Amino acid sequence: MRCFVKFSTTRKARSRRGSPDALFARLAQDCGYQALHLSGNAIHRNFCLPDRNLLTVTQIAQRAAQIAEATDIPLIVDGGSACVETIALARAVKHYERAGAAALRFEDALVNEYGASVDALAIAPIALMTERIKAAADARRDPSLVLIARCDSRPQESLAQVQDRLAAYAEAGADALGVQLSEVEDFRRVGAAAPAPLVSMWPRTCMAADEFIQMGFRVALHAIERPSRPPRRRQGNATRVSSKPGAIEITSRDKANSPRPKAGIKTWAQV
């Protein structure tokens, strides 16, 4: 499970599928992906929650453990902001490591800015982020646990400043780096001079995954996919599950939550 740093050259091996639960993870493994990514956005959506740092370390670690148990390939876990109390960061590292994570990804955005637009996101000073990277490295028990430091500062800083941050993060002990960018040229320049392996979200609206890898990014992280098609038919706030005779049909939440009627009475649900 800790073979994460031994990157392959094939597209599927260098793509990490977003997997919010064990079922998605097993399907990704069966499709040939050689590593998985449990992102904060994916697991929040899986809980039907906005991505606002609403889930606890324990909840995320439990989900990571379920995925690790169901699969045989490395799992990258999104640890959120590194800019929390040192003791809280160390606790998170230990929880995710025990859960079976092969790599942890932390970002330099301040935790109290979750939900802000990328242009308004507050970024931690370099000194604070490097201190947290060192704390995370000290907290891990297995030195093969990969620590990924992600830089989100490009909307507020020049590309040169972003590159200075990446160099400082690598020097502080980050095994790999991530960066949030929007311009193709920025990706190209960062990929050409990275101080550590690059593990970043694939900007699928800007380029193909192969082109992203060729720029120097070692791993292309995939976001969880949206459903490809909506349910066939909806009525009000309910979904018709099936129109075949004898199938269950839920017509409203109120009725679904109502007491079960006595036997012999025709009801809204028929099995």
Side-chain angles (χ1 to χ4, degrees):
M1 292 294 292
R2 297 296 168 80
C3 60
F4 174 77
V5 293
K6 297 180 180 178
F7 302 109
S8 176
T9 57
T10 64
R11 174 179 171 181
K12 278 193 174 181
R14 298 180 71 172
S15 297
R16 275 42 178 172
R17 174 61 61 182
S19 304
D21 56 35
L23 177 59
F24 269 81
R26 177 64 69 83
L27 291 172
Q29 176 178 293
D30 291 346
C31 287
Y33 288 92
Q34 295 186 10
L36 303 164
H37 175 222
L38 177 60
S39 72
N41 180 268
I43 190 171
H44 275 78
R45 287 173 58 181
N46 193 253
F47 275 85
C48 297
L49 294 172
D51 186 8
R52 298 291 186 271
N53 200 35
L54 300 176
L55 298 176
T56 66
V57 168
T58 301
Q59 287 175 300
I60 298 173
Q62 288 174 341
R63 182 58 57 85
Q66 292 166 358
I67 293 173
E69 183 178 4
T71 58
D72 301 313
I73 54 179
L75 171 64
I76 306 170
V77 175
D78 184 352
S81 174
C83 304
V84 295
E85 292 294 331
T86 304
I87 189 171
L89 179 63
R91 177 176 177 270
V93 171
K94 292 175 182 177
H95 270 60
Y96 298 144
E97 185 176 21
R98 282 198 299 267
L104 303 180
R105 185 167 66 95
F106 293 101
E107 59 204 50
D108 57 9
L110 295 178
V111 67
N112 62 351
E113 295 295 324
Y114 269 59
S117 66
V118 292
D119 294 331
L121 200 63
I123 305 299
I126 293 179
L128 176 60
M129 185 62 181
T130 54
E131 178 186 318
R132 294 301 187 266
I133 292 172
K134 292 176 182 178
D138 290 340
R140 61 184 171 185
R141 297 182 180 180
D142 185 346
S144 67
L145 176 68
V146 176
L147 298 178
I148 306 167
R150 191 182 86 185
C151 178
D152 291 349
S153 70
R154 182 65 178 99
Q156 288 85 33
E157 297 181 338
S158 68
L159 185 63
Q161 289 174 306
V162 169
Q163 291 175 310
D164 288 342
R165 280 182 175 271
L166 295 176
Y169 297 169
E171 185 178 356
D175 303 299
L177 300 169
V179 61
Q180 295 289 88
L181 302 171
S182 58
E183 301 295 330
V184 173
E185 184 58 29
D186 284 355
F187 281 109
R188 183 174 289 108
R189 290 173 61 184
V190 168
L198 291 170
V199 179
S200 285
M201 295 298 297
W202 165 37
R204 59 187 308 163
T205 59
C206 299
M207 67 189 78
D210 291 338
E211 182 182 359
F212 187 60
I213 295 298
Q214 290 168 4
M215 284 184 177
F217 288 79
R218 301 290 292 277
V219 173
L221 300 177
H222 289 230
I224 180 175
E225 304 294 339
R226 290 182 174 87
S228 59
R229 66 181 68 174
R232 187 185 309 174
R233 180 179 178 185
R234 289 184 178 274
Q235 293 182 345
N237 66 345
T239 300
R240 182 180 294 275
V241 179
S242 173
S243 59
K244 295 181 180 179
I248 296 176
E249 180 181 330
I250 299 176
T251 56
S252 77
R253 179 168 297 176
D254 292 339
K255 288 182 179 180
N257 293 332
S258 63
R260 184 177 298 275
K262 295 180 181 179
I265 299 178
K266 188 175 181 180
T267 69
W268 53 270
Q270 297 177 344
V271 180

